[in-house]
Amino acid sequence: QSALTQPASVSGSPGQSITISCTGTSSDVGGYNYVSWYQQHPGKAPKLMIYEVSNRPSGVSNRFSGSKSGNTASLTISGLQAEDEADYYCSSYTSSSTPFVFGTGTWVSVL
Amino acid sequence: EVQVVESGGGLVQPGGSLRLSCAASGFTFSTYWMTWVRQAPGKGLEWVASIKEDGSEKSYVDSVMGRFTISRDNAKNSLFLRMDSLRAEDTAVYYCARNSYWGFDSWGQGTLVTVSS
């Protein structure tokens, strides 16, 4: 099972919106509404930001939103803030022998 | 407060063994699948293994199949990962995570495993 494909980096200015893509196949992202997104600051544990494509856990800012079209899922951060600078990973359930796969990760920089 | 705390990491020689532990609190441990995820230095996240609520189902990433064993003790709210025949490429921070909503909603701080001679 190959990792899901994400851009290595995305940047934006404070207040802007950015979108991170996560591309898989019909065996994972495209086949199930089980995509989740994680934020990881350097040296820290990952934090769940979005689950089941577009749902936010309690306590996560509504500036974070998720969507999916075909085999590609997306995470949008609106009103970009300095604290959003971190790595972001997508994950999906898969029908392969390994039930979960992560994306390659995207570093978000706030200019 | 939901909390998971890993322990047991350290330096081990290639071919050696190590047992990681994860202590859970703040939730009914026996009603959740649990998972180990690892992150090699400077690299991305990699799903390693998951175990069903009652321990009756387990799954592993191909690269650790036959070498790692995931287990749990619901009476002690604990998750384990037995790692045998360790290789340099197993060097990573290992995270314990609670499965929820087809993702992982609670993570520990991680424990570092270094495989080196």
Side-chain angles (χ1 to χ4, degrees):
Chain A
Q1 176 69 47
S2 299
L4 307 174
T5 301
Q6 298 180 233
S9 63
V10 173
S11 61
S13 299
Q16 286 186 329
S17 293
I18 62 166
T19 297
I20 304 167
S21 61
C22 169
T23 302
T25 69
S26 58
S27 296
D28 39 64
V29 174
Y32 307 92
N33 287 325
Y34 297 147
V35 176
S36 51
W37 288 91
Y38 304 87
Q39 176 191 65
Q40 185 181 34
H41 287 108
K44 301 296 186 181
K47 175 186 177 183
L48 178 66
M49 305 301 284
I50 296 288
Y51 65 92
E52 292 177 356
V53 176
S54 60
N55 296 292
R56 276 188 311 276
S58 174
V60 172
S61 171
N62 59 9
R63 298 187 297 105
F64 292 84
S65 61
S67 63
K68 191 185 83 167
S69 178
N71 295 336
T72 298
S74 299
L75 174 72
T76 297
I77 308 174
S78 58
L80 201 60
Q81 298 180 2
E83 67 207 49
D84 300 331
E85 189 163 278
D87 282 310
Y88 291 82
Y89 294 90
C90 62
S91 177
S92 176
Y93 176 79
T94 89
S95 59
S96 72
S97 58
T98 56
F100 292 100
V101 62
F102 283 96
T104 49
T106 299
W107 172 253
V108 168
S109 62
V110 181
L111 304 174
Chain B
E1 178 193 3
V2 173
Q3 194 171 16
V4 292
V5 179
E6 305 92 339
S7 61
L11 175 63
V12 60
Q13 292 187 339
S17 299
L18 212 54
R19 187 196 196 210
L20 305 183
S21 299
C22 170
S25 60
F27 65 100
T28 305
F29 181 72
S30 61
T31 64
Y32 286 87
W33 280 73
M34 295 295 295
T35 288
W36 288 98
V37 175
R38 68 184 178 183
Q39 186 170 36
K43 303 297 184 181
L45 301 173
E46 180 183 35
W47 174 85
V48 175
S50 292
I51 185 169
K52 193 177 179 179
E53 296 95 328
D54 62 359
S56 62
E57 292 183 31
K58 305 173 185 180
S59 53
Y60 302 90
V61 68
D62 289 348
S63 60
V64 308
M65 193 85 69
R67 301 188 299 121
F68 289 14
T69 302
I70 189 172
S71 62
R72 63 192 297 162
D73 184 338
N74 287 343
K76 296 183 178 180
N77 294 335
S78 295
L79 176 73
F80 306 101
L81 186 67
R82 170 74 181 188
M83 304 184 294
D84 296 317
S85 303
L86 282 161
R87 307 166 180 167
E89 54 264 36
D90 296 318
T91 294
V93 173
Y94 285 73
Y95 293 102
C96 165
R98 186 179 79 168
N99 292 46
S100 185
Y101 298 113
W102 299 97
F104 314 104
D105 69 342
S106 296
W107 299 65
Q109 83 289 348
T111 187
L112 176 62
V113 172
T114 302
V115 184
S116 174
S117 54

